[in-house]
Amino acid sequence: MIIMIRCFGCGKPIGHLWEDYKKRIDAKEDAGAVLTDLGVERYCCRAALLGHADMIHEVTKFKKA
Ligand SMILES: [Zn+2]
């Protein structure tokens, strides 16, 4: 779905970093370097961004019941 606002592990706000992260990953930058550059240092937050699959566009194709 959409990226979580805060990290589930530590509570650090990470939602605002997603757009920048995605843009830089799509430009073939190294994911680890991007996360470090964005100030995401704890492994819980890094895992939250690295493991996120943005499914909102697929989900919105279906109508509500
Ligand atoms: Zn965290």
Side-chain angles (χ1 to χ4, degrees), residues 8 18-20 27-28 30 33 37 43-44 46 48 52 54 62:
F8 285 145
W18 174 251
E19 290 296 326
D20 196 22
K28 303 282 184 245
D30 179 63
D37 194 40
Y43 65 82
C44 51
R46 293 174 81 94
H52 179 66
D54 212 2
F62 299 96

Side-chain angles (χ1 to χ4, degrees), residues 7-12 14 42-46:
C7 171
F8 285 145
C10 66
K12 176 186 170 80
I14 54 170
R42 282 183 285 271
Y43 65 82
C44 51
C45 312
R46 293 174 81 94

Side-chain angles (χ1 to χ4, degrees), residues 24-36:
R24 291 173 68 173
I25 294 302
D26 289 344
K28 303 282 184 245
E29 276 191 61
D30 179 63
V34 172
L35 288 170
T36 303

Side-chain angles (χ1 to χ4, degrees), residues 1-4 15 18-19 21-23 26 48-61:
M1 284 296 249
I2 58 173
I3 186 76
M4 54 185 127
W18 174 251
E19 290 296 326
Y21 171 77
K22 183 79 172 36
K23 202 182 298 173
D26 289 344
L49 282 163
L50 280 169
H52 179 66
D54 212 2
M55 301 296 285
I56 190 69
H57 302 297
E58 280 74 24
V59 172
T60 53
K61 288 176 190 165

